[in-house]
Amino acid sequence: MHHSIAIAKLALLLATAAVSRGFFVVAHAHARKSCWPREREALLALKQGINDTDGVLTSWQKLRHDCCRWTGVACSNETGHVTELDIGLNWLFGQISSSLLSLQHLEYLDLSTTSLVGPNGSSVFPDFLSSLHNLRHLDLAGTPYSGRVPARLSNLSNLEYLDLSGTSLHGHAPEFLFSYKNMRHLDLAGTPYSGRVPSRLSNLSNLEYLDLSNTLFSGTLPPQLGNLSNLRHLDLGYMQNIHTADVSWLTHLHFLEHLDMSGINLGTADMFPVANTIPTLKDLILSNCSLPNANQPLKHLNLTRLEWLDLNRNHLRHRIDTSWFWNITGITHLDLDETYLHGRFPDALGGMTSLQFLSFAYNGNSATMMVDMKNLCDLELLRLDGSLAFGNITEFLRKLPQCSSNKFLSLLSNHNNMTGMLPDMVGHLTSLEQLSLSNNSITGAIPSGLRNLTSLYGLDLTLNQLTGQIPMLPRSLTRLAISMNSLSGPLPLDFGAPDLTDLSLFSNCLAGYVPRAICELKNLSLLDLSNNLFEGEFPWCSAMPSMEFLILSNNNLSGNFPSWIQNSSQLVFLDLAVNKFYGTLPMWIGELVNLKFLLLNHNMFYGDIPANITNLILLQYFSLASNNISGSIPSSLSRLIAMTLEHPKRGTRWYVQEVINKDILSVVMKRQNMKYDIYRINEMYGIDISLNHLTGGIPDEITSLNGLFTLNLSWNHLSGKIPTNIGDMKSLESLDLSRNNLSGEIPTSLSDLTYLSSLDLSYNNLVGRIPTGRQLDTLYAENLSMYSGNNGLCGPPLKKNCPGNNDLEHGDQQRRESGYDPVVFFYFGLTAGFVAGLWIVFCALLFKRAWRSAYFRLFDKLHDNVYVFVVVTWGMITSKTTTS
Ligand SMILES: *[C@@H]1O[C@H](CO)[C@@H](O)[C@H](O)[C@H]1NC(C)=O
Ligand SMILES: *[C@@H]1O[C@H](CO)[C@@H](O)[C@H](O)[C@H]1NC(C)=O
Ligand SMILES: *[C@@H]1O[C@H](CO)[C@@H](O)[C@H](O)[C@H]1NC(C)=O
Ligand SMILES: *[C@@H]1O[C@H](CO)[C@@H](O)[C@H](O)[C@H]1NC(C)=O
Ligand SMILES: *[C@@H]1O[C@H](CO)[C@@H](O)[C@H](O)[C@H]1NC(C)=O
Ligand SMILES: *[C@@H]1O[C@H](CO)[C@@H](O)[C@H](O)[C@H]1NC(C)=O
Ligand SMILES: *[C@@H]1O[C@H](CO)[C@@H](O)[C@H](O)[C@H]1NC(C)=O
Ligand SMILES: *[C@@H]1O[C@H](CO)[C@@H](O)[C@H](O)[C@H]1NC(C)=O
Ligand SMILES: *[C@@H]1O[C@H](CO)[C@@H](O)[C@H](O)[C@H]1NC(C)=O
Ligand SMILES: *[C@@H]1O[C@H](CO)[C@@H](O)[C@H](O)[C@H]1NC(C)=O
């Protein structure tokens, strides 16, 4: 969090500084005097220590004498001395040289976001900067300095501008920072400075810009801040644990334009009346401030210059139209997410003609939007996710602006209980870039007018009741999700959108052959056609180099294992389960080195398990269940290191988060709707090769896969003993070896599997005493048949005594230790076949309304056991990045 804000800041910095940079270059082009040799040498020495991979400093050359014309350098046009050095915002590594000391006339130094460490390669703040006495402007934002600022820095008595944001300077902010009487701009954002907010800040009476956001300052806000009467920009957002009941000091800041107090508990402060005494305010950012309401009557509204108002995450819970801000027509940005405002949007909204962003998401589905927004020609984002009680999409779209001047519009109205049909006039909303309407009750066909939306790149209609076929798509479209609808018919022979990267059509009633047109989509990285009625062979696509997620499960597809996949080396997730694929598994499968999930269950594959499969060192879940696979289990299993605890990131909470964010979320969830539960998919570490014709023994090597959660080898012809070290598979929660020809005794180490919550050893030829152990005893109580069909087994918990032995008493049946919850797995295996049957029934039922609702209730129930549908729409998340 900390980090991302700092980064966002730097990005902003980058944008603003790029502009000013251009200015400097122009300015010193007029310089007359050539530079001083001593200063030129100093700059060259500086360059020596820098690794300049981007060639930023290529103009810095001995032969180009006039160093005043070098990139980032500016000189006084009277003396010729270097006065400015601006090499910030570049990709520069290395060390900064103390040769800089020769630039005694330097007034302006910008090293921001470079990775230049101190002269000794240490990240200690470079002390010699304190000797550049003429410095007025020092920008070290985002540099790698840590530790403390040397006290000598206080010698820079002319300093007007100091930016230390995003550095790792820590401890208490040094007192001398508050002694620069000329200081106008002080930015400490994102530094880990801690302690109380220093009241001595109020000494900096010339300060116009103060940013303490995202620091670790805590405690109350000193009212002395009111002495900073020249402040224009005050950012106190998201410090550590700040509270204040008194904000009256703000009334002294007569020039304040930007105020951010996000994250500060202002629950008892009289915030809005105080803000209303500052008519200069343009930005008022009070996100997550525990504000109780925003409907105080403000007798005279002073805030007529307000442009940016952010009240998100304050639980205001009153009527929308009673809020004080609706008459301010200059507002460009209004963020009301998670405010729980309810009721009708006031008509005044239609008059807020400057509005560019309106975000009103996650407000508990109790608002209604009937406002005519035709005049909001600057609108770029309208986001209402999870906030409307109902709405008619036909009427809603008709009220949107259709201005020719409108640049781009993203409309996000997911989870809003909207009904009606998508009108053909949607084609008039030519500025639409994103249209996201997932999880509503929109009916009818997808209108062909959509094709006219020449800017549309994202369309998400997941989880509605759309029928008919997929029409010709807008050419600009890159992401399309229409999963979980009732679309029927074949796929189009031409999608019309050659740049599609994501195509998600799962859970519809699409049928017929998959057309070759799919192969024309060269940029496709996600293709999900699962849960449809496709049949025949998947076309041979010569090159799909970007494919990462190929999900074709639960159709009637046939043919050999698609050989073109060999060229899709980026593949992470391959799901061909529940189809009629046949033939042998290819040797080259081991070349798909990025594969993490390989689901081939419920097909008709035969032959051996290719040994090369163990080359897939990222593989974490693998199912071949219910095929006709024969031969033995490859013994090189120990190479599947993703299935071991040694896998670098395994086993920590952080890891799960990381993977969700990085791998799955960014690639799929951010932009797609997936049927696998994202919170569980990363917990899927397993091997399922049940229901095949495997012979031979269980290789001992399998016990090195100590990261596996499930292992299912049931219903094969495996013989030999259960590996003695089975107890090494510490993570196992489910172990099924039933219905094989396993012999010998049950290894006692089995009782070491403390996470085991499901065990089945039935119908083998196991003999001897059953090992005891708390966990095993508990499991038996839950599954009394787990040892059945093994006539040679004896001892408790079975009634049968072992020959010539008294049985020991069992220990108490203790509950499982630790707070570790057993992971519930998807039944990719056995039940999926059952679902295949269901899907056909489901599609048939789509057209019999009366039956549907009753059936759905049943279906939902079954569903829970099969796929967990988690609908996360990319629309929601992309817009989050746009607004923040
Ligand atoms: C410069 O940086 C690049 C990229 O980080 C690195 O590959 C290269 O080895 C570096 N060169 C020197 C001389 O440090
Ligand atoms: C020199 O710089 C000053 C400001 O620093 C400016 O007013 C003046 O026009 C410049 N002279 C020339 C010849 O560029
Ligand atoms: C840097 O190195 C110089 C000599 O190599 C030494 O005198 C100085 O103390 C070092 N500074 C730091 C901060 O390590
Ligand atoms: C800078 O300030 C320090 C005290 O912080 C002082 O000892 C030193 O003489 C001053 N001058 C220079 C040139 O460093
Ligand atoms: C409006 O602002 C002026 C100037 O700060 C102030 O005197 C006046 O009290 C404010 N009005 C209200 C209703 O707060
Ligand atoms: C907004 O303006 C309308 C008339 O245009 C007025 O009736 C209403 O009271 C105003 N609301 C506020 C909060 O000032
Ligand atoms: C959806 O809207 C209908 C009325 O159009 C209403 O009866 C129903 O309760 C709403 N459902 C939800 C979940 O808000
Ligand atoms: C939605 O609005 C359109 C146009 O006003 C109307 O024809 C249609 O019946 C409405 N649909 C629903 C479900 O209310
Ligand atoms: C779409 O564009 C075509 C040709 O430009 C035009 O004839 C048609 O009316 C447009 N449809 C809509 C709904 O805008
Ligand atoms: C697969 O592995 C075998 C040996 O196990 C090897 O001979 C063959 O070259 C490998 N094939 C591929 C495509 O990696």
Side-chain angles (χ1 to χ4, degrees):
M1 167 91 129
H2 219 85
H3 231 76
S4 65
I5 289 169
I7 287 168
K9 263 198 142 70
L10 292 182
L12 194 72
L13 220 82
L14 206 83
T16 48
V19 176
S20 52
R21 167 86 48 88
F23 171 75
F24 290 123
V25 172
V26 174
H28 70 76
H30 294 289
R32 285 181 307 120
K33 277 213 163 144
S34 175
C35 78
W36 295 69
R38 185 178 145 80
E39 299 186 351
R40 181 169 58 234
E41 292 308 317
L43 289 171
L44 287 171
L46 175 66
K47 185 185 175 182
Q48 276 284 306
I50 297 179
N51 184 351
D52 174 24
T53 42
D54 286 355
V56 178
L57 305 181
T58 38
S59 61
W60 292 29
Q61 285 174 22
K62 213 178 176 99
L63 293 176
R64 298 194 187 176
H65 285 284
D66 189 359
C67 68
C68 297
R69 289 171 183 269
W70 293 356
T71 308
V73 182
C75 302
S76 152
N77 62 7
E78 275 148 25
T79 64
H81 285 297
V82 174
T83 53
E84 293 183 7
L85 180 55
D86 177 6
I87 55 173
L89 300 164
N90 286 308
W91 205 245
L92 298 174
F93 296 93
Q95 304 180 0
I96 76 172
S97 157
S98 48
S99 68
L100 271 182
L101 270 176
S102 303
L103 305 177
Q104 273 302 318
H105 298 267
L106 208 58
E107 295 172 14
Y108 184 108
L109 178 59
D110 185 347
L111 300 174
S112 57
T113 75
T114 59
S115 295
L116 299 177
V117 290
N120 295 7
S122 80
S123 57
V124 174
F125 193 95
D127 194 29
F128 66 86
L129 293 179
S130 324
S131 303
L132 297 170
H133 296 283
N134 290 310
L135 272 189
R136 286 188 289 110
H137 181 114
L138 180 56
D139 190 345
L140 299 174
T143 49
Y145 304 121
S146 58
R148 292 178 164 278
V149 180
R152 281 181 55 212
L153 203 70
S154 61
N155 290 3
L156 304 181
S157 53
N158 295 324
L159 216 53
E160 293 170 2
Y161 183 110
L162 180 60
D163 190 343
L164 300 175
S165 62
T167 60
S168 303
L169 299 166
H170 58 261
H172 289 262
E175 279 292 305
F176 70 80
L177 281 185
F178 312 121
S179 63
Y180 296 105
K181 56 183 188 309
N182 296 322
M183 189 69 82
R184 292 213 297 251
H185 182 117
L186 179 60
D187 193 342
L188 302 177
T191 56
Y193 278 134
S194 57
R196 299 178 75 83
V197 179
S199 56
R200 284 193 60 207
L201 272 169
S202 59
N203 293 358
L204 304 178
S205 56
N206 287 315
L207 217 52
E208 293 168 10
Y209 183 107
L210 177 61
D211 191 343
L212 303 178
S213 62
N214 296 289
T215 54
L216 301 181
F217 289 123
S218 56
T220 72
L221 288 177
Q224 289 91 334
L225 289 176
N227 295 351
L228 300 174
S229 57
N230 288 309
L231 272 185
R232 286 170 171 31
H233 182 112
L234 178 57
D235 192 344
L236 303 172
Y238 293 108
M239 296 191 274
Q240 190 86 351
N241 204 2
I242 297 270
H243 52 92
T244 187
D246 177 18
V247 287
S248 58
W249 51 271
L250 283 168
T251 60
H252 303 297
L253 307 182
H254 298 299
F255 301 109
L256 201 61
E257 293 176 2
H258 177 101
L259 176 61
D260 187 343
M261 299 180 79
S262 298
I264 300 179
N265 187 335
L266 299 174
T268 54
D270 225 1
M271 191 60 211
F272 294 122
V274 168
N276 193 36
T277 63
I278 316 172
T280 46
L281 269 186
K282 285 184 179 162
D283 307 332
L284 182 56
I285 300 168
L286 300 172
S287 159
N288 195 13
C289 288
S290 307
L291 295 169
N293 54 48
N295 59 357
Q296 304 83 337
L298 302 173
K299 281 202 190 66
H300 171 260
L301 194 60
N302 269 332
L303 296 172
T304 52
R305 296 193 205 165
L306 206 59
E307 292 173 6
W308 190 297
L309 179 61
D310 184 347
L311 300 178
N312 81 46
R313 298 166 69 197
N314 293 289
H315 294 186
L316 307 173
R317 296 190 192 279
H318 51 73
R319 271 172 43 195
I320 301 175
D321 57 359
T322 58
S323 310
W324 56 263
F325 43 77
W326 292 113
N327 286 2
I328 307 174
T329 52
I331 291 183
T332 59
H333 183 289
L334 184 54
D335 188 340
L336 301 172
D337 292 352
E338 285 181 68
T339 51
Y340 296 95
L341 292 169
H342 58 84
R344 285 176 62 106
F345 273 88
D347 290 336
L349 171 62
M352 296 175 75
T353 48
S354 307
L355 209 57
Q356 294 169 12
F357 298 89
L358 172 58
S359 194
F360 185 82
Y362 317 121
N363 284 309
N365 290 91
S366 48
T368 54
M369 170 65 92
M370 306 288 179
V371 179
D372 186 344
M373 289 177 278
K374 283 231 162 45
N375 293 329
L376 306 187
C377 286
D378 291 338
L379 202 61
E380 290 175 20
L381 175 76
L382 176 59
R383 178 170 178 231
L384 301 168
D385 300 332
S387 293
L388 301 185
F390 55 87
N392 179 326
I393 189 66
T394 320
E395 291 169 9
F396 182 74
L397 290 176
R398 285 195 181 134
K399 288 178 179 151
L400 289 180
Q402 296 176 21
C403 323
S404 52
S405 62
N406 196 333
K407 288 165 292 194
F408 303 111
L409 175 61
S410 287
L411 173 63
L412 310 172
S413 180
N414 304 294
H415 325 291
N416 269 340
N417 200 14
M418 290 186 121
T419 52
M421 308 210 282
L422 283 172
D424 207 41
M425 64 67 62
V426 73
H428 300 321
L429 302 170
T430 46
S431 56
L432 263 189
E433 265 193 339
Q434 272 198 87
L435 179 60
S436 195
L437 301 171
S438 71
N439 198 359
N440 284 291
S441 301
I442 300 170
T443 50
I446 302 170
S448 58
L450 206 66
R451 172 75 176 163
N452 288 16
L453 298 178
T454 49
S455 301
L456 194 72
Y457 69 79
L459 177 62
D460 185 355
L461 301 171
T462 303
L463 201 50
N464 280 289
Q465 291 151 26
L466 295 165
T467 50
Q469 300 196 15
I470 298 171
M472 190 80 160
L473 302 171
R475 223 189 136 67
S476 51
L477 203 66
T478 60
R479 301 191 298 229
L480 176 64
I482 326 181
S483 300
M484 296 189 269
N485 278 283
S486 307
L487 298 176
S488 57
L491 289 179
L493 293 178
D494 178 6
F495 285 92
D499 300 328
L500 273 180
T501 61
D502 298 16
L503 179 57
S504 177
L505 299 172
F506 69 80
S507 300
N508 279 289
C509 296
L510 297 164
Y513 293 99
V514 177
R516 270 206 56 80
I518 280 279
C519 303
E520 311 294 316
L521 306 173
K522 299 285 184 218
N523 297 324
L524 218 51
S525 85
L526 182 144
L527 176 63
D528 190 343
L529 301 179
S530 60
N531 292 355
N532 279 291
L533 304 171
F534 292 113
E535 58 187 314
E537 297 197 10
F538 195 89
W540 196 84
C541 298
S542 56
M544 301 283 252
S546 311
M547 189 69 83
E548 290 177 60
F549 291 81
L550 179 59
I551 303 170
L552 304 175
S553 52
N554 207 4
N555 282 288
N556 282 318
L557 295 168
S558 55
N560 284 312
F561 192 96
S563 61
W564 57 269
I565 289 177
Q566 188 174 6
N567 299 329
S568 300
S569 59
Q570 301 300 315
L571 211 58
V572 171
F573 200 115
L574 177 60
D575 183 356
L576 305 180
V578 200
N579 277 292
K580 298 195 172 106
F581 287 107
Y582 52 79
T584 56
L585 299 178
M587 285 285 212
W588 50 257
I589 195 132
E591 294 170 14
L592 301 175
V593 290
N594 289 305
L595 261 191
K596 292 185 175 173
F597 298 88
L598 178 58
L599 306 167
L600 305 176
N601 48 289
H602 294 85
N603 279 290
M604 299 180 302
F605 290 117
Y606 55 80
D608 291 347
I609 301 175
N612 306 50
I613 211 162
T614 59
N615 293 350
L616 301 176
I617 57 169
L618 298 180
L619 196 65
Q620 66 175 74
Y621 192 90
F622 166 47
S623 177
L624 260 178
S626 191
N627 279 285
N628 296 320
I629 302 291
S630 54
S632 57
I633 301 175
S635 60
S636 49
L637 287 166
S638 53
R639 292 162 67 185
L640 295 170
I641 57 165
M643 299 185 179
T644 66
L645 289 172
E646 280 70 46
H647 188 248
K649 295 178 191 164
R650 265 305 292 284
T652 63
R653 194 168 178 76
W654 172 79
Y655 171 68
V656 173
Q657 291 297 334
E658 186 73 4
V659 171
I660 288 174
N661 292 339
K662 284 255 170 68
D663 291 357
I664 304 301
L665 254 185
S666 67
V667 187
V668 189
M669 300 314 301
K670 250 191 184 164
R671 358 194 205 120
Q672 275 293 343
N673 310 289
M674 275 282 284
K675 60 188 170 302
Y676 309 99
D677 183 335
I678 52 163
Y679 297 106
R680 300 221 172 114
I681 195 160
N682 290 291
E683 296 172 12
M684 280 176 50
Y685 286 84
I687 293 180
D688 186 351
I689 40 185
S690 61
L691 287 155
N692 279 291
H693 311 300
L694 293 166
T695 52
I698 300 175
D700 284 337
E701 288 83 349
I702 208 165
T703 61
S704 68
L705 304 183
N706 56 3
L708 278 192
F709 291 170
T710 60
L711 177 61
N712 190 346
L713 307 177
S714 64
W715 296 85
N716 278 291
H717 310 298
L718 298 170
S719 54
K721 296 186 170 181
I722 300 175
T724 324
N725 296 334
I726 190 97
D728 291 352
M729 302 183 76
K730 295 275 184 256
S731 309
L732 267 191
E733 299 181 355
S734 165
L735 175 63
D736 191 348
L737 304 177
S738 64
R739 308 270 175 178
N740 278 293
N741 298 323
L742 298 171
S743 54
E745 298 193 357
I746 301 176
T748 52
S749 73
L750 197 65
S751 60
D752 298 342
L753 300 177
T754 46
Y755 292 138
L756 207 59
S757 60
S758 162
L759 173 67
D760 196 346
L761 302 176
S762 61
Y763 299 97
N764 280 291
N765 297 318
L766 299 168
V767 296
R769 176 183 298 282
I770 293 174
T772 54
R774 297 168 194 147
Q775 189 57 24
L776 291 183
D777 299 344
T778 317
L779 288 178
Y780 182 74
E782 285 160 15
N783 177 10
L784 298 175
S785 63
M786 72 191 212
Y787 300 119
S788 308
N790 291 286
N791 292 332
L793 286 178
C794 62
L798 300 182
K799 297 262 163 27
K800 184 177 167 188
N801 285 344
C802 291
N805 230 331
N806 289 327
D807 289 318
L808 299 165
E809 283 291 312
H810 287 163
D812 285 348
Q813 296 204 348
Q814 290 192 6
R815 311 206 71 217
R816 298 182 54 169
E817 326 126 38
S818 83
Y820 192 99
D821 277 329
V823 181
V824 185
F825 279 94
F826 314 104
Y827 293 87
F828 278 108
L830 290 171
T831 37
F834 177 49
V835 179
L838 269 184
W839 203 257
I840 293 163
V841 182
F842 168 75
C843 284
L845 279 171
L846 277 175
F847 306 99
K848 292 188 184 177
R849 284 197 160 268
W851 281 84
R852 257 168 75 179
S853 68
Y855 190 75
F856 254 113
R857 259 175 275 134
L858 168 69
F859 189 73
D860 279 348
K861 251 185 132 170
L862 294 170
H863 236 71
D864 288 341
N865 291 326
V866 185
Y867 289 118
V868 185
F869 282 70
V870 173
V871 181
V872 175
T873 64
W874 45 260
M876 276 156 41
I877 300 168
T878 18
S879 71
K880 193 107 193 163
T881 50
T882 346
T883 53
S884 57

